[in-house]
Amino acid sequence: MTTSDNAPAQDAGKPASNGDAKPKAPAKDPWDLPDVSGLVVGVLGGTGDQGRGLAYRLARAGQKVIVGSRSADRARTAAEEIGSGVEGADNAHCARRSDIVIVAVPWEGHEALLTALREDLSGKLVVDCVNPLGFDKKGAYALTPAEGSAAEQAAALLPDSRVVAAFHHLSAVLLQDPDVEQIDTDVMVLGESRADTDVVQALAGRIPGMRGVYSGRLRNAHQVESLVANLISANRRYKAHAGLRLTDV
Amino acid sequence: MTTSDNAPAQDAGKPASNGDAKPKAPAKDPWDLPDVSGLVVGVLGGTGDQGRGLAYRLARAGQKVIVGSRSADRARTAAEEIGSGVEGADNAHCARRSDIVIVAVPWEGHEALLTALREDLSGKLVVDCVNPLGFDKKGAYALTPAEGSAAEQAAALLPDSRVVAAFHHLSAVLLQDPDVEQIDTDVMVLGESRADTDVVQALAGRIPGMRGVYSGRLRNAHQVESLVANLISANRRYKAHAGLRLTDV
C-alpha cells in the first residue's frame, strides 16, 4: 500500500489550482469543429458489414464516399448496392482519391493492407476503426497488438499519414438498416493532433444521432478498441445493439 | 488480408440461427435482480476519495456500509465525516463484517492489501473497482498487470472469494457532492458467475441514476479499468465529470 488510501479516480491528474498562475488565454470551444462537408471519404474494407454501414451512413448524410476493396469490381458492386451516390474503386485508388480514409478491414488483414498502401495513404487523414478481437466458446476477448493497438500499428506503418482512431463501437446492423433514422451513440475519437481529431469529430457529427467526443491520445486506443468485447457481452445478455454515450459531456 | 472484407463489428460472434435446434427455455429477464438491501457493504480504501464517495452514496441509498482503512481510528473519523450511519473499522474487521467488500485502494497497494486479507475475504463477494493507471506530462495511460487486470489479480490472490469488477468510471467529485441528487451513469459489471454479477448490478441500482449493466467476463476487465484514462482526457477537454451510458440496453 502507498501512504495514502486515495484511489486513482477518474478525477486524478487534474492540475491543482494555483493562485499565483498567470491567467491563460480562454480555451478554444471544444464543440467549435470544422466544416467537413466537402471532403471525400474513402472506406477501405467498404464491402464488409462495418465499412458498408459507415459508407451508407456518411453518404446518406451528404458526404462524398468511395468504398475500396481488393477488387474494383467487388467495390463497384457494393457501391451500387449501398446507393446514395457511393462509388467503388480498388483500395489504392480509393485511398488516393480520398481526403479522409477510414480503415474498416478485419484485424487479420490490417498490417498487410496498410503496408501495401503506405504511399497511397501518404498525406491522408487515416481513421482506424479496427477492433483486434479473438473469439472462442466463451465469447470475444481482446487481442493486444505488438504496437499496443491497431491504431498505433497504423501510425507505425504510415509515417507519412495522420492517424486518428474512431468509430469502434458501432453496430453494423443498425448502420445498415435504412429504417433506422438515428444512430444513438457517441464516437470516441483519439489522436495526437487536435486539428485531426476535430475533423473526425465533425465527420461523426454529420450522422444524425452521432457525436464525436475527444477521448485521448493513441496510446490509449487499446482499451477503446477492445471495449467492443464488452459490448458484445452486453448485446448477448440484453439482446441489444449497444452503443456508448459519455454523460456530463 | 483474410478472404473476407468483413470487419469484426460488435455484432460478431452471435450464434447463427439454426432451424433444427430445440426450443430453449426462455432466458431469464436480465433486469430481474435480487434484493440486496439487507447486505452489509464494506469499502476497503474507504478513507480515499473514491471509496468515501461510494460509501456515502450507498449509505445515502439506505445500505449498511463499513469503511475500512489500515488504521481503525482513521476509518472511524472518515465514517463520522461521511455520516448516514456509516461505520469505520480496520481493513480486516471491515472485510469480516461485510457481505460485499468493495476494493477501492490505489493500484499500488492492491496486491499487498489483498494478499494480507486473503482469509478475511474468504467467502465474500469482492468487488474490484481499481484502475491501474500511470500518469506523466501527457496525462493518464493504462498499466497492464501481469494477471491482465486488477480484477484478475484479485481473483488470483483470493481463490476463496468471488470476484466481480465494477464501479470503475465514477467521478469521486460527483459521488461526494451532497448537492448532486443523481449519479447519471451506467456501471459496467464483469464477472464469472451470473449470481454474483446480478448482486453487484442490484447494488449499483440502489444509487439513484445508476444502473448496473452486465459487461462480460473478468478476462475483459482490463479495457474497462483502463478506459478511465480516456475519461480523464475527455474531462480535461470538456471540463466535465464524464460517465458512461450504454445505449439500446
Side-chain angles (χ1 to χ4, degrees), chain B residues 210-234:
Chain B
M210 256 189 221
R211 183 177 67 154
V213 178
Y214 175 73
S215 302
R217 294 173 179 273
L218 291 188
R219 68 175 179 173
N220 283 314
H222 172 61
Q223 56 264 30
V224 173
E225 295 172 357
S226 38
L227 199 72
V228 176
N230 304 88
L231 297 182
I232 290 170
S233 295

Side-chain angles (χ1 to χ4, degrees), chain A residues 1-15 27 30-31 45-51 68-70 74 91 104-109 112-113 131 133 135-136 138-142 168-174 184-185 188 190 192 194 197-198 201 212-217 219-224 226-249, chain B residues 1-15 27 30-31 45-51 68-70 74 91 104-109 112-113 131 133 135-136 138-142 168-174 184-185 188 190 192 194 197-198 201 212-217 219-224 226-249:
Chain A
M1 292 198 46
T2 60
T3 52
S4 160
D5 271 355
N6 214 18
Q10 58 146 294
D11 317 289
K14 290 199 173 174
W31 300 114
T47 60
D49 281 339
Q50 190 80 345
S69 180
R70 275 168 300 165
R74 269 188 71 188
N91 282 324
V105 297
W107 166 241
E108 293 70 27
L113 179 79
N131 307 307
L133 294 183
F135 292 91
D136 62 17
K138 292 184 170 180
Y141 58 93
H168 302 91
H169 305 143
L170 305 175
S171 161
V173 171
L174 296 183
D184 188 24
T185 190
M188 300 180 82
L190 293 83
E192 301 303 310
R194 179 147 183 182
T197 53
D198 277 359
Q201 287 179 246
V213 178
Y214 174 73
S215 301
R217 293 173 180 273
R219 67 176 181 173
N220 283 314
H222 172 63
Q223 55 265 30
V224 173
S226 38
L227 198 72
V228 176
N230 304 88
L231 297 183
I232 289 171
S233 295
N235 284 345
R236 285 187 175 182
R237 174 70 55 95
Y238 301 103
K239 309 195 188 315
H241 301 292
L244 282 182
R245 280 273 183 223
L246 270 69
T247 57
D248 197 45
V249 168
Chain B
M1 293 202 38
T2 61
T3 53
S4 161
D5 270 356
N6 214 18
Q10 58 146 294
D11 315 290
K14 289 200 175 173
W31 299 115
T47 59
D49 282 337
Q50 189 81 344
S69 180
R70 273 167 301 166
R74 268 189 71 189
N91 283 325
V105 297
W107 165 241
E108 294 70 27
L113 179 79
N131 306 308
L133 293 183
F135 291 90
D136 62 17
K138 291 184 171 181
Y141 58 94
H168 301 91
H169 305 141
L170 305 175
S171 160
V173 172
L174 296 183
D184 188 23
T185 191
M188 299 179 84
L190 293 84
E192 301 303 310
R194 178 146 181 182
T197 53
D198 277 359
Q201 286 179 247
V213 178
Y214 175 73
S215 302
R217 294 173 179 273
R219 68 175 179 173
N220 283 314
H222 172 61
Q223 56 264 30
V224 173
S226 38
L227 199 72
V228 176
N230 304 88
L231 297 182
I232 290 170
S233 295
N235 285 344
R236 285 188 176 180
R237 174 70 56 94
Y238 301 103
K239 307 193 189 319
H241 301 291
L244 282 183
R245 281 271 183 223
L246 269 69
T247 56
D248 196 45
V249 168

Side-chain angles (χ1 to χ4, degrees), chain A residues 8 22 36 45 52 85 127-128 134 146 158 193 214 222 231 233 248:
Chain A
K22 286 182 192 168
V36 297
R52 199 184 274 255
V127 184
D128 204 297
L158 304 171
S193 146
Y214 174 73
H222 172 63
L231 297 183
S233 295
D248 197 45

Side-chain angles (χ1 to χ4, degrees), chain B residues 18-106:
Chain B
N18 179 352
D20 297 329
K22 287 183 192 166
K24 274 190 184 174
K28 191 191 162 211
D29 177 355
W31 299 115
D32 180 16
L33 300 173
D35 177 8
V36 297
S37 59
L39 300 180
V40 177
V41 178
V43 183
L44 304 176
T47 59
D49 282 337
Q50 189 81 344
R52 199 183 274 257
L54 268 172
Y56 169 62
R57 287 290 156 183
L58 289 167
R60 180 168 151 161
Q63 206 77 30
K64 175 69 203 170
V65 177
I66 304 169
V67 293
S69 180
R70 273 167 301 166
S71 144
D73 280 348
R74 268 189 71 189
R76 278 190 284 266
T77 303
E80 270 177 42
E81 289 165 3
I82 298 166
S84 304
V86 173
E87 288 184 51
D90 65 58
N91 283 325
H93 282 92
C94 169
R96 287 187 174 269
R97 290 178 56 198
S98 302
D99 303 299
I100 305 175
V101 183
I102 297 175
V103 182
V105 297

Side-chain angles (χ1 to χ4, degrees), chain A:
Chain A
M1 292 198 46
T2 60
T3 52
S4 160
D5 271 355
N6 214 18
Q10 58 146 294
D11 317 289
K14 290 199 173 174
S17 66
N18 178 352
D20 296 330
K22 286 182 192 168
K24 275 190 184 174
K28 190 191 162 212
D29 177 355
W31 300 114
D32 181 14
L33 300 173
D35 177 7
V36 297
S37 59
L39 299 181
V40 177
V41 179
V43 183
L44 304 176
T47 60
D49 281 339
Q50 190 80 345
R52 199 184 274 255
L54 269 171
Y56 169 62
R57 286 292 154 181
L58 289 167
R60 181 169 150 161
Q63 206 78 29
K64 174 71 203 166
V65 177
I66 304 169
V67 292
S69 180
R70 275 168 300 165
S71 144
D73 279 347
R74 269 188 71 188
R76 278 191 283 266
T77 303
E80 270 177 42
E81 288 164 5
I82 299 167
S84 302
V86 173
E87 288 184 52
D90 65 58
N91 282 324
H93 282 91
C94 169
R96 286 188 175 268
R97 289 179 56 198
S98 302
D99 303 299
I100 304 174
V101 183
I102 298 175
V103 182
V105 297
W107 166 241
E108 293 70 27
H110 187 261
E111 181 172 8
L113 179 79
L114 296 186
T115 302
L117 293 181
R118 176 173 164 167
E119 283 189 28
D120 306 295
L121 290 167
S122 173
K124 307 293 183 181
L125 177 51
V126 173
V127 184
D128 204 297
C129 66
V130 172
N131 307 307
L133 294 183
F135 292 91
D136 62 17
K137 276 187 280 187
K138 292 184 170 180
Y141 58 93
L143 301 176
T144 305
E147 297 83 355
S149 62
E152 287 164 288
Q153 182 184 83
L157 293 171
L158 304 171
D160 302 321
S161 307
R162 294 120 62 209
V163 174
V164 166
F167 299 116
H168 302 91
H169 305 143
L170 305 175
S171 161
V173 171
L174 296 183
L175 288 176
Q176 293 185 95
D177 184 344
D179 294 334
V180 173
E181 298 286 336
Q182 294 222 141
I183 304 291
D184 188 24
T185 190
D186 286 345
V187 170
M188 300 180 82
V189 178
L190 293 83
E192 301 303 310
S193 146
R194 179 147 183 182
D196 294 337
T197 53
D198 277 359
V199 165
V200 178
Q201 287 179 246
L203 186 67
R206 298 267 289 157
I207 298 174
M210 256 189 222
R211 183 178 67 155
V213 178
Y214 174 73
S215 301
R217 293 173 180 273
L218 291 188
R219 67 176 181 173
N220 283 314
H222 172 63
Q223 55 265 30
V224 173
E225 294 172 357
S226 38
L227 198 72
V228 176
N230 304 88
L231 297 183
I232 289 171
S233 295
N235 284 345
R236 285 187 175 182
R237 174 70 55 95
Y238 301 103
K239 309 195 188 315
H241 301 292
L244 282 182
R245 280 273 183 223
L246 270 69
T247 57
D248 197 45
V249 168

Side-chain angles (χ1 to χ4, degrees), chain B residues 159-175:
Chain B
D160 302 322
S161 307
R162 292 120 61 208
V163 174
V164 166
F167 298 116
H168 301 91
H169 305 141
L170 305 175
S171 160
V173 172
L174 296 183
L175 288 177

